[in-house]
Amino acid sequence: MALERTFAIIKPDAVAAGHAGAIIAAIEKSGLSIRGLKRVRLSGDLCKGFYHEHVAKGFYQELEDFMTEGPVVMMCLEGEGAIAKWRDLMGATNPANAAEGTLRKQYGTNIGRNATHGSDAPGSAAFEVSYFFSAFELV
Ligand code: DAT
Ligand code: MG
């Protein structure tokens, strides 16, 4: 396995519910390293650029309304096989289908409000990390 970086978001539902600390603790326990972290609120334009592959889809407006409704915590995570490892910790997109013990099972509500984001491949991870973090913020 290769040393990878991936991009993670604790989404507005989980931040508002006070689950950011528990999710960060789960990341630390997993062995993934947090290389960058910030708490911000997305604009619609930032959301459209970030989710460019979903902008034309029927659920996009719902996704944007949700992702901009309150602050998020975003992170760059690093480790061996970090992309798959973080996806495994999150669980399936729809919390109803997510495995027991995963973050989306524990903290998600439905397919739209699913508590966390994670990059799905090396290309999207590189794009997403650089979309939100400068080199100065990754330490
Ligand atoms: P993932 O976040 O697991 O990579 P995705 O990239 O297919 O899933 O979709 C991005 C987000 O969009 C997802 O976390 C929640 C939302 N979403 C996806 N499919 C949806 C649907 N059918 N209805 C409502 N929201 C949806
Ligand atoms: Mg995705």
Side-chain angles (χ1 to χ4, degrees):
M1 247 189 297
L3 188 68
E4 291 176 338
R5 284 183 173 182
T6 192
F7 181 73
I9 301 179
I10 304 173
K11 294 184 178 182
D13 56 341
V15 172
H19 297 315
I23 292 170
I24 291 167
I27 290 168
E28 291 182 326
K29 195 173 169 197
S30 78
L32 288 166
S33 304
I34 299 172
R35 308 307 299 258
L37 183 152
K38 55 188 167 190
R39 184 178 181 278
V40 297
R41 184 163 183 174
L42 297 181
S43 66
D45 284 347
L46 274 173
C47 190
K48 285 183 183 75
F50 176 67
Y51 278 124
H52 60 89
E53 66 175 337
H54 295 313
V55 167
K57 295 184 183 166
F59 62 80
Y60 177 74
Q61 195 55 51
E62 180 190 333
L63 176 61
E64 181 181 303
D65 290 348
F66 167 55
M67 291 299 292
T68 59
E69 76 179 26
V72 300
V73 174
M74 48 180 60
M75 288 166 281
C76 174
L77 307 179
E78 186 178 84
E80 292 291 320
I83 296 168
K85 193 167 184 177
W86 173 234
R87 297 277 306 186
D88 287 349
L89 273 174
M90 291 198 303
T93 304
N94 188 340
N97 302 329
E100 216 51 57
T102 60
L103 297 172
R104 282 167 161 175
K105 183 72 170 189
Q106 288 175 267
Y107 305 119
T109 304
N110 55 47
I111 191 169
R113 304 177 71 83
N114 61 1
T116 56
H117 166 84
S119 311
D120 62 1
S124 58
F127 165 74
E128 291 173 3
V129 169
S130 66
Y131 189 77
F132 285 117
F133 286 103
S134 66
F136 174 76
E137 296 173 303
L138 298 171
V139 293

